[in-house]
């Protein structure tokens, strides 16, 4: 077996060794020896609820001892058949059958063999009686108000402790106070009774908790007669004076009772609690006070309870003896009583006799000394018999010792010493064993010990020998015994090896030799590497609320890793295995994590690594940073009209230096309670002179700032009031507003409360025409606005505003230039000409209006236009006005987004900040033809293996006279490759279908159709289609509204080996025939073998039916969607196979505009195969309209801003479309 040592347990091991060496030698049971009591009962109480009672007595010895008992110093036998005796033991058990009273007494156990007799201490067996109050008739008590009274309790005797309570029949406690008191004996005292003390159910209860018993005395009735009823014929004045003269009296002691005299003795055992009580009757109720005659009451151990009537002194000692005096007083006199306190003590050992092992011819002495109060008496016994019956004549007895010489083997015996006084008896036994034996080694041979480098190792060689033996240790391979400072052999044979090294590992032998012989054993020592530990990070500094993670790194010997255990502690208190209960601190082996650090987490953290051989720890100091505590003790000094010195004391910086202080003030009359920052101060300073404003009652507070953050504000300083003064500044941001011509509403930013400097704030407003040598007009107001009417419209004025208060005016103000109110322009500009740029854009030129006709600041010109009719069909249009504004002083602009091939009317007006002036006469112009929009649809209505028939719709907007269509098509594949583009020019505008032939079978095509005018062709509409295979015909993508004639070849006509395939295709919704149509195809012979006989299988037929049902369901859903107006977009196919040349450039972005029809700007499209004349927006946009936030300038950037409106009375339009470019208002 490998014996394990740890460095942490080293000190404990040393202490155990020293204790072992100082005690008696343990004799092996294999050696003959006198008996020794090893276990015995204490005082035993027979509780009625126990099942049995047991008295224990165990002993050891060689030969094995026998046991006898005495009861009350007389032999006690086990003749009672109820007694159960344990074998090889002195213990016996008595069952609780209810009849055990005769077992009560004091028992003693004796264990004897041929060498001696051991005796136990006295064991008291107590059989308590059930306590009861005696049955008695208690006469009612009747007393007068003010009389003293004692209600006796007289509790029955019983097993301590005893608790006494006074309660009524409802089990409510009788209230005790200065007037009413219950003594330690249980009696209830009244210093003077009152009428409210009358009741018929005063009950005394005695509780015995160890017996689980509470007993009650019979209720007592008390009647208190009030003095005011004593003589009904007497007046109240007579009654009151009589009561005062008879009942008021000086104190008289009721407790202690008068028969004890002026002084009574009190005996208390040392270490107990002294309780003295003193109660006096009298009227008024006396007050009780305590003192120690000739000394002071012991501070810290004395308490006064029950309104001073009880004095308690805990853990009394001999210095507490003396005279204690209680004094009861009222205004009529006083009464005293002295308590003579005597401190005594039961016996306690000063020197106990010690057992010993002696060899033949030896000598010895047994000492027995005890102390106590009174002084204990000493009695000796030998083998349980009085000293007078000592069988050893050579013994020399004295009161406190016994000596003996020339011991022989027959002198073995047990000596007992008893010390007794009035408070108890104590017993001590000493074994005298005379033995001659060769050494007996008690440690197992061949033990293996382990130790870490640098630690102490202990190799055991415990033995017993008489006479005394010599012990030596040596390494097995060495001859000489171990010597030197590193080696020490203890008396019990253990070898202590200090500062173990790797060279100390190996085999060791222990030799024990005495006069009777010798004995030896061997032991092995393993030396392991010491465990090391380190914590990272070292000395971390962490702000509060942040997370902290500590890591514990360890280096451990490979032989010790299996036993390595890590634990964490803070300031010496260990963390639980998984951290704290709230989960804020978690421990996971070598990691300790604190999720939200608080100030309480600051401290020394240690990681302990423990193995079976050693225990080491590493520690680190965690410093928690937090915002500073608020500054304290703010003080104002050097008080001036415009400054004051503020001084403060810095608070705790919580481990982070204060970088600055923020001084705030409160005193703004407009915002009371609002704190504003006044000054910042360096962290090294705690005083500052702060500037002040006049007419403010200041209060200051300070906040400290460190790297973590800002502290809470300090407590406010005392208030400091500054005297008023004239304003230091004038209002700012002077401006004008006007709602009507010639008006000036002058406004400014009023002075803040802190800028007013005094009471009676007003504003002196002055104004005059700019540059005029006239007197200033002036008006004083209290608010921050003034309305002035001027003789002219939009005229410049010099305006100045000066602040004044009751103490004077502010500095000289600086004038600002403001304009009087504007009026509407009173004349209209004239459109000079309209130049057509293209079919959708025109350039307008107009004459500007004179400056004096603007009556304000000219903001720009506004063009209104509306479409009157279409030139293509001659249809007239209701008036729906479009608006386009041009900012600034200019005489031309570009108007985009017009409908091609149409007639328009246009007017113009000027506008300023007040609003728009009169409108000019309408100007009529027309736009030329443009390119059409794309056809409304393109559909493949019939598909053969080498031909297809197409149909398309008329464009929504023709934008001119239609000249025909361009049809283009090309082959497309599922890859990115596309075929050559083919063109067909259709010059008949009314033709909207075309039959294509000479197409390739089973080939996918894409078709493009464009509508054309004299100006060119528009955007294409596209469609895709796949031709059918050889020998079959089908309808490609059947669009809405196209009927397809059913064509079917009989099944008999299929080629031999061909497989019929049934496809369900959508039929036109025009007729009421079946919504499905069968199209039969055949596959080539090469597939014939793959499908032989499959069509005859039942599962195949079922599968086909299921597919048909599913398809029917899907088509029904599509039918419902179509009936709701849904459309199937062709954009997905256009995205997959884009028109290779149909993507024209995006229309240029012109700006914001709108009209009632919301027509988009038109642009030109380039042909897929050839260039066409650009008829759209290919021209320069330099001349385009310019608005307030125009998008182009003269360099080609658009500036115009468009707005839309519908004139009153114009017809409503149902057409709507969005603009083709983003617009800005």
């Amino acid at each position: 077996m490998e014996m394990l040592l740890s460095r942490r347990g080293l000190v404990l091991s040393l202490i155990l060794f020293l204790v072992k060496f100082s005690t008696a030698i343990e004799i092996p049971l294999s050696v003959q020896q006198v008996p020794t009591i090893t276990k015995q009962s204490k005082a035993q109480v027979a509780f009625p609820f126990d099942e049995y009672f047991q008295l224990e007595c165990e002993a050891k010895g060689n030969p094995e001892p026998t046991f006898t008992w005495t009861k009350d110093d007389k032999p006690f036998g086990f003749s009672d058949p109820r007694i159960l005796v344990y074998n090889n033991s002195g213990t016996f058990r008595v069952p609780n059958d209810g009849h055990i009273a005769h077992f009560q007494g004091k028992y003693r156990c004796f264990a004897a063999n041929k060498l001696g007799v051991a005796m136990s201490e006295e064991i008291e067996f107590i059989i308590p009686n059930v306590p009861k109050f005696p049955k008695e008739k208690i006469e009612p008590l009747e007393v007068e108000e003010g009389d003293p009274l004692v209600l006796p309790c007289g509790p029955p005797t019983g097993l301590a402790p005893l608790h006494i309570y006074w309660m009524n029949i409802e089990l409510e406690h009788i209230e005790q106070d200065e007037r009413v008191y219950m003594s330690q004996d249980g009696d209830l005292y009244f210093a003077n009774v009152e009428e409210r003390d009358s009741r018929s159910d005063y009950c005394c209860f005695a509780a015995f908790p160890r017996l689980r018993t509470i007993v009650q005395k019979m209720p007592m009735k008390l009647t208190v007669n009030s003095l005011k009823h004593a003589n009904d014929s007497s007046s109240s004045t007579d009654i009151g004076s009589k009561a005062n003269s008879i009942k008021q009296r000086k104190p008289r002691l009721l407790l202690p009772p008068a028969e004890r005299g002026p002084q009574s003795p009190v005996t208390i055992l040392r270490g107990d609690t002294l309780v003295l009580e003193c109660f006096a009757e009298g009227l008024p109720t006396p007050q009780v006070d305590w003192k120690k005659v000739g000394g002071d009451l012991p501070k810290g151990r004395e308490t006064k309870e029950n309104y001073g009537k009880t004095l308690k002194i805990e853990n009394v000692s001999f210095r507490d003896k003396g005279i204690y005096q209680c004094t009861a007083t009222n205004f009529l006199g006083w009464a005293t009583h002295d308590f003579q306190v005597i401190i005594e003590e039961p016996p306690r050992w000063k020197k106990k006799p010690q057992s010993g092992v002696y060899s033949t011819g030896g000598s010895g002495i047994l000492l027995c000394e005890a102390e106590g109060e009174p002084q204990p008496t000493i009695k000796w016994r030998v083998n349980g018999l009085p000293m007078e019956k000592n069988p050893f004549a050579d013994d020399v007895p004295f009161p406190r010792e016994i000596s003996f010489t020339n011991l022989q083997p027959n002198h073995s015996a047990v000596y007992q010493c008893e010390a007794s006084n009035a408070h108890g008896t104590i017993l001590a036994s000493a074994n005298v064993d005379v033995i001659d034996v060769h050494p007996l080694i008690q440690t197992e041979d061949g033990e293996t010990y382990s130790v870490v480098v640098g630690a102490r190792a202990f190799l055991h060689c415990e033995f017993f020998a008489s006479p005394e033996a010599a012990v030596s240790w040596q390494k097995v391979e060495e001859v000489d015994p171990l010597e030197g400072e590193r080696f020490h052999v203890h008396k019990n044979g253990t070898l202590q090896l200090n500062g173990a090294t790797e060279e100390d590992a190996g085999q060791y032998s222990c030799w024990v030799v005495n006069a009777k012989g010798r004995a030896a054993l061997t032991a092995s020592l393993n030396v392991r590497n010491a465990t090391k530990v380190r914590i990272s990070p070292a000395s971390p500094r962490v702000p509060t609320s942040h997370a902290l993670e500590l890591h514990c790194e360890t280096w451990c010997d490979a032989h010790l890793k299996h036993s390595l255990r890590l634990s964490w502690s803070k300031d010496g208190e260990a963390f639980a295995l998984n951290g704290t209960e709230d989960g804020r601190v978690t421990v996971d082996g070598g990691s300790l994590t604190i999720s939200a650090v608080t100030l309480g987490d600051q401290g020394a953290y240690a990681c302990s690594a423990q193995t079976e051989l050693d225990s080491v720890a590493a520690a680190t100091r965690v410093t928690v940073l937090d915002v500073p505590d608020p500054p304290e003790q703010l003080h104002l000094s050097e008080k001036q009209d415009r400054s004051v010195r503020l001084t403060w004391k810095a608070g705790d910086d919580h481990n982070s230096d204060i970088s600055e202080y923020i001084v705030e003030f409160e005193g703004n009359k407009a915002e009371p309670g609002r704190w504003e920052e006044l000054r910042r101060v360096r962290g090294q300073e705690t005083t500052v002179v702060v500037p002040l404003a006049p007419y403010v009652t200041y209060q200051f507070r300070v906040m400290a700032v460190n790297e973590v953050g800002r502290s809470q504000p300090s407590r406010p300083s005392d208030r400091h009031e500054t005297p008023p003064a004239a304003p230091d500044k004038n209002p700012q941001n002077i401006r004008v507003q006007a709602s009507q011509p010639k008006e000036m509403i002058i406004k400014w930013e009023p002075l803040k409360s802190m800028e007013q400097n005094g009471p009676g704030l007003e504003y002196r407003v002055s104004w005059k025409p700019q540059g005029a040598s006239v007197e200033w007009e002036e008006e004083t107001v209290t608010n921050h606005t003034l309305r002035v009417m001027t003789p002219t419209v939009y005229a410049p004025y010099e305006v100045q505003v000066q602040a004044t208060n009751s103490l004077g005016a502010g500095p000289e103000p600086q004038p600002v230039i403001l304009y009087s109110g504007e009026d509407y322009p009173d004349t209209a500009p004239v459109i000079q000409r309209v130049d057509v740029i293209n079919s959708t854009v025109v350039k307008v030129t107009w004459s500007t209006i004179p400056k004096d006709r603007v009556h304000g600041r000219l903001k720009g010109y506004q063009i209104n236009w509306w479409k009157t009719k279409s030139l293509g069909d001659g249809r007239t249009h209701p008036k729906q006005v479009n608006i386009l504004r041009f900012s600034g002083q200019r005489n031309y602009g570009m108007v985009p987004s017009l409908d091609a091939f149409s007639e328009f009317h246009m007017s113009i007006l000027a506008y300023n900040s007040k609003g728009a002036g009169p409108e000019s006469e309408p100007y009529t112009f027309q736009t030329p033809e443009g390119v059409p929009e794309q056809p409304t649809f393109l559909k493949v209505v019939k598909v053969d293996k080498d031909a297809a028939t197409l149909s398309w719709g008329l464009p929504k907007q023709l934008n001119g006279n239609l000249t025909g269509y361009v049809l283009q098509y090309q082959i497309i594949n599922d890859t990115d490759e596309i075929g050559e583009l083919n063109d067909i020019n259709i010059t008949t505008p009314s033709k909207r279908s075309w039959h294509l032939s000479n197409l390739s079978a089973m080939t996918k095509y894409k078709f493009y159709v464009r509508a054309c005018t004299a100006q060119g062709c528009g955007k294409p509409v596209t469609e895709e289609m796949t031709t059918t295979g050889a020998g079959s015909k089908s309808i490609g993508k059947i669009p809405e509204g196209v009927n397809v004639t059913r064509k079917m070849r009989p099944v008999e006509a299929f080629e031999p080996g061909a497989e019929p395939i049934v496809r369900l295709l959508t039929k036109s919704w025009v007729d009421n025939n079946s919504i499905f149509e069968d199209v039969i195809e055949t596959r080539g012979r090469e597939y014939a073998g793959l499908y032989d006989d499959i069509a005859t299988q039942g599962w195949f037929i079922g599968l086909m039916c299921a597919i048909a049902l599913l398809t029917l369901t899907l088509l029904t859903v599509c039918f419902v969607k179509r009936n709701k107006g849904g459309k199937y977009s062709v954009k997905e196919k256009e995205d997959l196979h884009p028109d290779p040349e149909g993507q024209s450039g995006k229309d240029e972005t012109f700006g914001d505009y709108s009209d009632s029809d919301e027509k988009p700007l038109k642009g030109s499209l380039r042909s897929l195969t050839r260039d066409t004349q650009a008829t759209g927006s290919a021209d320069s946009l330099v001349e385009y309209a310019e608005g307030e936030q125009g998008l182009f300038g003269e360099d080609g950037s658009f500036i115009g801003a468009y707005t839309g409106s519908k004139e009153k009375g114009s017809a409503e339009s149902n057409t709507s479309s969005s603009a083709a470019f983003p617009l800005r208002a």
Side-chain angles (χ1 to χ4, degrees), residues 148-162:
L149 179 66
V150 179
L151 297 181
C153 178
T157 58
L159 188 66
L162 167 64

Side-chain angles (χ1 to χ4, degrees), residues 875-890:
R875 182 169 56 90
T876 60
H877 286 257
K879 184 177 182 179
Q880 197 160 358
V881 178
N882 301 277
I883 296 173
L884 180 60
R885 284 189 167 187
F886 300 89
S887 63
Q889 182 71 14
R890 59 182 299 166

Side-chain angles (χ1 to χ4, degrees), residues 447-516:
E447 294 280 9
T448 298
Y449 302 87
S450 295
V451 69
V452 296
V453 173
R456 292 178 180 179
F458 295 94
L459 280 64
H460 299 297
C461 183
E462 296 185 7
F463 67 94
F464 176 78
S466 183
E468 289 187 3
V471 182
S472 62
W473 281 85
Q474 65 186 55
K475 262 198 167 184
V476 171
E477 65 271 12
E478 297 178 3
V479 177
D480 297 330
L482 299 173
E483 295 178 350
E485 295 180 353
R486 294 179 56 236
F487 305 101
H488 175 68
V489 179
H490 293 276
K491 289 184 178 181
N492 70 342
T494 295
L495 171 66
Q496 176 179 326
L497 189 153
N498 299 320
T501 64
E502 294 181 357
E503 291 73 20
D504 292 327
Q507 296 282 327
Y508 290 80
S509 59
C510 169
W511 289 90
V512 184
V513 180
N514 74 354
K516 296 297 182 179

Side-chain angles (χ1 to χ4, degrees), residues 8-307:
R8 188 175 66 175
L10 180 59
V11 175
L12 180 60
S13 301
L14 288 174
I15 293 173
L16 292 175
F17 280 127
L18 293 175
V19 172
K20 191 169 186 179
F21 298 156
S22 64
T23 58
I25 298 174
E26 187 74 18
I27 306 173
L29 275 177
S30 60
V31 178
Q32 287 193 351
Q33 55 190 287
V34 297
T36 302
I37 300 290
T38 58
K39 185 179 182 181
Q40 73 165 73
S41 295
K42 301 294 181 182
Q44 183 77 281
V45 178
F47 294 108
F49 42 79
D50 291 337
E51 295 182 5
Y52 60 86
F53 314 108
Q54 181 170 291
L55 297 183
E56 294 181 319
C57 182
E58 306 288 341
K60 68 175 183 176
N62 187 358
E64 189 173 328
T66 58
F67 298 89
T68 58
W69 287 83
T70 62
K71 175 176 177 286
D72 299 328
D73 295 328
K74 296 179 181 179
F76 176 76
F78 301 116
S79 58
D80 192 322
R82 294 177 296 170
I83 299 176
L84 174 63
V85 181
Y86 291 90
N87 294 329
N88 302 320
S89 170
T91 301
F92 68 92
R93 176 184 294 184
V94 178
N96 185 7
D97 60 357
H99 304 285
I100 57 172
H102 62 283
F103 285 106
Q104 179 166 307
K106 296 182 178 179
Y107 291 79
R108 198 185 291 270
C109 171
F110 297 86
N113 65 11
K114 67 178 183 178
L115 300 180
V117 180
M119 182 179 71
S120 73
E121 294 180 355
E122 208 168 50
I123 305 170
E124 185 175 10
F125 185 35
I126 303 171
I127 303 176
N129 294 321
V130 177
K132 295 180 180 179
F133 277 102
K135 292 183 178 181
E136 58 181 334
K137 182 179 180 182
I138 301 176
E139 296 295 332
L141 296 174
E142 187 172 349
V143 295
E144 289 188 353
E145 185 178 7
D147 288 345
L149 179 66
V150 179
L151 297 181
C153 178
T157 58
L159 188 66
L162 167 64
H163 301 299
I164 302 175
Y165 309 96
W166 279 90
M167 294 185 286
N168 58 22
I169 202 67
E170 302 293 334
L171 300 182
E172 297 171 338
H173 287 272
I174 302 299
E175 184 179 355
Q176 300 183 37
D177 51 24
E178 293 181 341
R179 190 177 57 84
V180 183
Y181 169 72
M182 185 187 74
S183 69
Q184 299 295 310
D185 295 333
D187 296 339
L188 191 63
Y189 289 80
F190 293 82
N192 47 77
V193 294
E194 297 177 354
E195 187 176 4
R196 62 190 173 96
D197 295 325
S198 296
R199 64 183 320 120
S200 60
D201 55 352
Y202 281 95
C203 299
C204 179
F205 291 83
F208 300 88
R210 294 183 66 188
L211 295 176
R212 306 177 188 176
T213 300
I214 299 177
V215 293
Q216 175 192 344
K217 189 172 184 175
M218 295 294 294
M220 288 177 268
K221 181 178 181 180
L222 172 64
T223 302
V224 179
N225 295 322
S226 175
L227 288 178
K228 65 183 179 181
H229 302 303
N231 190 349
D232 293 337
S233 63
S234 301
S235 67
S236 60
T237 304
D238 294 339
I239 294 173
S241 61
K242 181 180 179 181
N244 289 335
S245 62
I246 295 177
K247 294 301 180 181
Q248 286 190 349
R249 57 195 180 278
K250 68 179 183 179
R252 180 175 65 90
L253 290 175
L254 298 179
L255 186 68
E259 54 266 24
R260 291 192 186 180
Q263 187 179 69
S264 57
V266 176
T267 300
I268 184 74
L269 294 182
R270 177 175 175 266
D272 287 354
T273 298
L274 172 65
V275 179
L276 302 177
E277 53 185 352
C278 197
F279 184 81
E281 63 94 1
L283 188 67
T285 302
Q287 303 295 315
V288 179
D289 196 15
W290 293 87
K291 70 175 183 178
K292 183 178 182 182
V293 179
D296 297 326
L297 296 175
K299 292 183 178 180
R301 293 186 292 118
E302 56 87 20
T303 56
K304 296 174 183 177
E305 299 177 353
N306 300 315
Y307 299 93

Side-chain angles (χ1 to χ4, degrees), residues 970-973 975-981 1006 1008 1137-1141:
Q970 63 186 152
I971 296 174
I972 61 173
N973 298 318
T975 64
D976 294 336
E977 297 180 1
I978 58 177
E980 182 182 357
L981 194 65
K1006 184 168 186 178
Y1008 312 86
H1137 301 291
D1139 182 355
E1141 298 185 20

